[in-house]
Amino acid sequence: MAAVAVFAAACGNSGLKDEVNYPIEDFTFTNQDGEQLSKKDLKGKVWVADFVFTNCADVCPPMTANMAKLQDMIKEEKLENVEIVSFSVDPTVDKPEVLKEYGQKFNVDFSNWSFLTGYSQEEIEKFALESFKALVKKPEEGDQVIHGTDFYLIDQEGVMRKYYTGLKEVPFDQIVEDIKTLQ
């Protein structure tokens, strides 16, 4: 039995149910304060990520409200070294000051939540697909960007370990438990 535990640990199995292992590529983007945030800055921390944009007409406001609820739960549980990262899928509109104002509407605590921009549309579409296996696409017509509604759990080494619905019936308690498992 001990050999099984050692083998599981060596294979990166952390005990998370439905675990995946997708390495997140290196990045350095700009946050809501105009400061750089990189994957290296998040090393050693568990983080939860999503993809949103500020003039989203439907899914982003409830997703951001759900992420704010998760942020409150993380605080209530007194979990440390946990970051939240929201990648804008509409970087031409979502400048740092626009992202800051958007976060303030949801009473976001920016001390551990970064809204990121500072890349081209093509870059975020490629980054989302390659790192998160997530579709992001800005159509030729209109101002609404197509994107997924998942929350992604990333470990201290920058590997996406699990994803959850971020829109309806969000498994908040499971996410908190999975954060604890990774810590």
Side-chain angles (χ1 to χ4, degrees):
M1 193 60 148
V4 172
V6 170
F7 178 75
C11 292
N13 185 336
S14 62
L16 295 178
K17 188 174 187 263
D18 301 320
E19 181 175 4
V20 298
N21 286 294
Y22 302 143
I24 305 302
E25 66 186 52
D26 286 338
F27 64 85
T28 301
F29 299 143
T30 304
N31 74 7
Q32 70 280 348
D33 295 319
E35 298 168 350
Q36 298 294 294
L37 182 78
S38 70
K39 180 181 165 189
K40 289 182 185 85
D41 296 324
L42 297 167
K43 188 166 175 61
K45 298 178 181 189
V46 173
W47 44 294
V48 181
D50 67 354
F51 293 89
V52 297
F53 65 109
T54 61
N55 60 346
C56 177
D58 48 24
V59 298
C60 300
M63 285 175 62
T64 304
N66 289 338
M67 193 68 88
K69 178 178 177 180
L70 180 61
Q71 184 183 44
D72 290 342
M73 292 175 73
I74 290 167
K75 277 187 200 164
E76 286 167 17
E77 292 286 324
K78 296 181 174 40
L79 300 177
E80 295 182 5
N81 291 319
V82 180
E83 296 286 323
I84 297 172
V85 180
S86 292
F87 296 95
S88 169
V89 295
D90 195 6
T92 55
V93 172
D94 290 343
K95 302 300 181 203
E97 59 278 4
V98 174
L99 291 169
K100 180 100 174 197
E101 188 177 306
Y102 178 78
Q104 288 168 337
K105 290 179 188 172
F106 294 92
N107 298 313
V108 163
D109 177 353
F110 292 110
S111 68
N112 72 328
W113 189 342
S114 297
F115 288 81
L116 298 181
T117 189
Y119 34 76
S120 70
Q121 189 66 42
E122 183 180 306
E123 286 171 315
I124 191 61
E125 291 177 9
K126 185 174 182 272
F127 176 74
L129 187 60
E130 291 180 0
S131 288
F132 291 89
K133 313 305 180 229
L135 177 69
V136 170
K137 190 74 182 152
K138 187 166 188 174
E140 302 269 328
E141 302 290 316
D143 65 352
Q144 296 299 295
V145 181
I146 299 163
H147 65 94
T149 57
D150 288 333
F151 289 173
Y152 302 92
L153 180 64
I154 296 96
D155 70 14
Q156 296 91 331
E157 298 302 315
V159 176
M160 193 252 285
R161 303 296 290 275
K162 197 166 173 182
Y163 57 93
Y164 321 79
T165 180
L167 187 56
K168 296 180 181 166
E169 299 179 27
V170 179
F172 293 106
D173 292 333
Q174 185 63 58
I175 297 171
V176 169
E177 286 307 309
D178 289 345
I179 290 169
K180 290 177 182 177
T181 298
L182 289 180
Q183 289 186 323

